[in-house]
Amino acid sequence: MILENKNVLEDIRKKYDFILCDSLEAIEFYYKKGLSKKIIVITSSPAILNNAKIKSRNLFYDWSQEKYKYFQNSICDFTISVHKAVLALEEYSAEEAILASIWSNHFNKHLLKLAQLKKNYIKKKFLYIEIDNSIYQSEKINPFWNKLKKNFKITTISYKPLKFNFFKANNLDKIPLINRFILGGFETIFYRMILYLFRTFKVNIKRSILILSENELLIEIASKFFLKGYFPHDLRNIKIEKELNENVTKIFDNLFLNLNPIIVRRIEYFIEEAFMCDALDFYKSELLNIYKEYYQWRETFKKIKNTSSIKFKKGGMLFSNTPANARGMAAKNIFKKDKFRLFSFQHGVTPEISASHKYTLSSHDSSVADYYFTFNKKAAQIANRNPFSKSKVIICGAPKRYSRQSLMIAKSNISPILFLSNKLYKGNSGSISTYSTDLQMSQYEISLINLLEKINKKVTYKPYPESYPRYYEKDPCQKLLEKCKNILIFKYNYDARFITAFSQLIIGCTATSTVSWALLSNKPYVFINHKYNSPLKEDAYKAFKKGIFLFDYEDKVFSKKLISFLNQPFHDILNQWNEKRIHRINLIEKFISSNPKRDYLNEILY
């Protein structure tokens, strides 16, 4: 816990109008040290807001889900305006233009919180309790309230817990090794051997593939290119060059001057005038940091190209999982002078089916890559219509490991029904892909847990694997699950693909990449559609209605219908599932995994 020094104890005993805190453990700790319980705690934390003993106010108390939807839907046009403004300036590259639009997208996570600050807060005194900077990913957990310098009276104290109990690192070591080999397949073993060979012996060859990052599809395609005479070099773990020759601040003075009217229009529409200067300063400082990182990576790749023991010949390839970042853009900028092309590979199915995904188009792989390998026809259509895109799109179907889920050998302790949760709170820096606050997401999840507790079959609840914790506290959903008798919590933090084979029926509830794994597992699949929580697109909805078991959360008799369905004998459910087979084949072909052309590699090589 935080060291008890005199200054902190004095700070918590001062008079405040409001407390800003997103950690239940932190606020309870300071209550014990003398912090007044009469002061309203403004928060987005579901655990605090669900605690009747705390006098709290939802940060988003006056934002309806329709207003949330409007805010999110307006992001794409804003990022397009930024992109066009930078492209119009001859001194800046296409890579610098796309980086500005990507940051403009991410900036809206912070703008969303700033939009909740009311005019009457200007003269109020705030105590802000943050998680100590020494805690893992604290910079992502903590809001940026203490960066507000103008018109905001704030005292900041930090909380350092003894144990970091609420986050589990990725438990890949808990997956049976045989299952990892089966899912990865021969091509993954082959690919790893090739990487090891060329990393060890530093072979010079004419045709290179530089691997910046990986995913399942990239590994399969890289193995095929090797058989065509291309050799992969692993650049995933290179260290960034910190020294810079350029004065980055001076370079981008003109860019900020031209962007200023666009950013001001966006900011002034949503936030109070008193907080506009802070918002604008934050936008500029963070974009400048991104450009500094971009220039550092440019220096890094220049050094690799000029000093590496491996001589990279012209006309090679850059392979990346997610190149829409400073690192990917720097690699493209440096190596394109040697006629290298950037190839990106679809990670999962989401834009094809999600009605709330358009806002991220600036970060879409097709926005930055020369070639974009995709799973299906619908993904190709999205890439071709993307206003940021100049990619050539190659449809190659989903990776083979999707169809290998049924081959798992080492069994996991999974109940007959597997519930794949996609509850991933926004917190301070998570994506805003839903039209719901974290409290609403928590309430939605709790309602589903209560429903599953009533059915006549055992359920395994699989939490969504987090890369970092959104809040430092035990989630209210977790507390409820621990009391359930019919639901077993899956305790490891790894992907569902390793356990789908051991269930008899799968339930999902958001239009994300989890859908593709569930569908291609060939298990009966129930999808719960919620119009404010990553809902299906209209055309996807129609296809899902025919091909799987689709339930609408907003249906007045939703609970009754779903409980009645799940209480049926499994053989009856399976018969109904088989009756939908033809429609499901069409659904998969259009939205999940389309049959590729046999010669799709030749479109690139010849």
Side-chain angles (χ1 to χ4, degrees), residues 33 308 411:
K33 298 299 177 184
S308 174
K411 197 167 184 178

Side-chain angles (χ1 to χ4, degrees), residues 464-559:
Y464 192 80
E466 292 182 316
S467 57
Y468 68 93
R470 269 48 178 183
Y471 298 99
Y472 186 81
E473 60 197 14
K474 182 173 280 191
D475 181 25
C477 299
Q478 177 78 11
K479 286 186 175 182
L480 176 60
L481 284 163
E482 289 171 356
K483 297 176 183 177
C484 290
K485 296 179 180 179
N486 196 49
I487 303 174
L488 170 73
I489 306 171
F490 188 75
K491 62 182 179 179
Y492 298 121
N493 190 27
Y494 57 72
D495 285 342
R497 66 190 75 175
F498 293 100
I499 60 174
T500 53
F502 309 118
S503 66
Q504 295 181 55
L505 181 145
I506 300 172
I507 302 175
C509 51
T510 57
T512 62
S513 59
T514 304
V515 169
S516 52
W517 288 101
L519 263 172
L520 294 180
S521 72
N522 204 29
K523 299 286 182 177
Y525 181 43
V526 171
F527 185 86
I528 302 167
N529 193 57
H530 188 309
K531 71 176 183 178
Y532 293 117
N533 196 31
S534 298
L536 291 166
K537 286 181 176 176
E538 186 177 348
D539 56 347
Y541 180 93
K542 291 176 181 177
F544 275 55
K545 192 77 173 176
K546 293 178 180 179
I548 64 167
F549 302 119
L550 181 64
F551 291 83
D552 290 299
Y553 185 79
E554 284 75 26
D555 188 334
K556 291 180 180 179
V557 288
F558 160 73
S559 295

Side-chain angles (χ1 to χ4, degrees), residues 151-380:
N151 300 313
F152 204 61
K153 298 176 182 178
I154 187 167
T155 299
T156 302
I157 60 174
S158 62
Y159 171 70
K160 184 177 181 179
L162 283 174
K163 294 182 179 180
F164 194 65
N165 297 322
F166 305 116
F167 178 69
K168 297 176 182 176
N170 203 311
N171 300 129
L172 289 177
D173 59 315
K174 301 296 183 182
I175 303 170
L177 193 59
I178 184 65
N179 286 352
R180 294 178 68 179
F181 278 127
I182 290 170
L183 199 71
F186 171 75
E187 66 275 3
T188 302
I189 299 170
F190 181 54
Y191 169 81
R192 296 286 175 221
M193 289 174 62
I194 298 166
L195 279 188
Y196 175 78
L197 175 68
F198 287 96
R199 186 167 56 243
T200 304
F201 296 103
K202 308 290 184 185
V203 180
N204 284 302
I205 39 82
K206 290 184 178 180
R207 296 190 285 187
S208 299
I209 299 175
L210 309 185
I211 308 293
L212 302 177
S213 56
E214 291 178 348
N215 65 22
E216 297 90 347
L217 185 58
L218 183 152
I219 289 170
E220 287 188 13
I221 301 299
S223 300
K224 292 179 180 180
F225 270 110
F226 174 75
L227 298 176
K228 298 281 187 179
Y230 281 80
F231 293 79
H233 297 281
D234 191 357
L235 300 183
R236 289 175 299 158
N237 299 316
I238 57 173
K239 300 285 179 67
I240 190 169
E241 186 71 36
K242 294 293 184 181
E243 295 296 322
L244 274 179
N245 297 323
E246 293 96 343
N247 183 339
V248 177
T249 304
K250 189 174 181 180
I251 290 172
F252 291 100
D253 280 346
N254 191 38
L255 181 143
F256 287 129
L257 191 66
N258 281 269
L259 283 184
N260 202 69
I262 299 170
I263 311 307
V264 168
R265 277 198 303 273
R266 178 69 179 173
I267 291 171
E268 68 182 0
Y269 190 85
F270 289 104
I271 72 173
E272 294 291 342
E273 185 179 355
F275 305 111
M276 281 186 59
C277 287
D278 279 325
L280 192 59
D281 288 346
F282 181 73
Y283 177 92
K284 290 179 179 179
S285 65
E286 290 301 308
L287 180 55
L288 188 60
N289 287 336
I290 290 167
Y291 280 137
K292 284 180 180 177
E293 184 187 356
Y294 168 72
Y295 270 77
Q296 287 170 334
W297 277 117
R298 286 180 81 250
E299 291 300 317
T300 304
F301 288 115
K302 278 182 189 176
K303 190 173 181 180
I304 288 172
K305 193 174 77 165
N306 296 331
T307 64
S308 174
S309 58
I310 300 170
K311 302 302 178 185
F312 301 116
K313 307 295 182 181
K314 289 186 177 182
M317 301 177 180
L318 295 165
F319 274 23
S320 179
N321 170 21
T322 51
N325 50 50
R327 187 175 186 267
M329 291 296 86
K332 181 180 182 180
N333 183 268
I334 295 302
F335 283 100
K336 71 180 179 182
K337 297 167 187 174
D338 293 314
K339 298 183 179 179
F340 272 66
R341 294 166 292 173
L342 176 60
F343 292 73
S344 183
F345 302 83
Q346 185 171 353
H347 167 68
V349 173
T350 301
E352 302 94 312
I353 60 175
S354 173
S356 60
H357 206 266
K358 183 182 176 182
Y359 81 104
T360 63
L361 282 177
S362 59
S363 300
H364 195 269
D365 289 355
S366 66
S367 297
V368 299
D370 299 305
Y371 286 85
Y372 175 47
F373 282 81
T374 188
F375 294 1
N376 56 69
K377 297 171 185 175
K378 193 67 178 178

Side-chain angles (χ1 to χ4, degrees), residues 560-579:
K560 184 178 179 180
K561 282 184 178 179
L562 185 56
I563 290 172
S564 176
F565 175 82
L566 294 174
N567 281 343
Q568 295 179 93
F570 272 121
H571 63 82
D572 288 348
I573 293 174
L574 189 58
N575 287 338
Q576 295 169 60
W577 178 252
N578 291 334
E579 288 172 4

Side-chain angles (χ1 to χ4, degrees), residues 61-119:
Y61 75 93
D62 62 348
W63 265 51
S64 68
Q65 288 175 304
E66 284 298 322
K67 190 172 182 179
Y68 217 118
K69 184 177 180 179
Y70 173 80
F71 177 87
Q72 198 246 43
N73 287 343
S74 66
I75 293 173
C76 187
D77 287 342
F78 168 60
T79 58
I80 290 171
S81 298
V82 169
H83 188 240
K84 287 180 178 178
V86 181
L87 282 179
L89 302 171
E90 292 183 0
E91 64 264 44
Y92 302 110
S93 66
E95 290 78 29
E96 288 160 341
I98 200 69
L99 282 173
S101 60
I102 290 169
W103 161 241
S104 298
N105 176 2
H106 293 316
F107 169 69
N108 282 275
K109 301 173 188 177
H110 307 285
L111 182 62
L112 181 64
K113 288 211 161 187
L114 281 170
Q116 312 314 314
L117 298 181
K118 312 306 176 190
K119 191 174 183 179

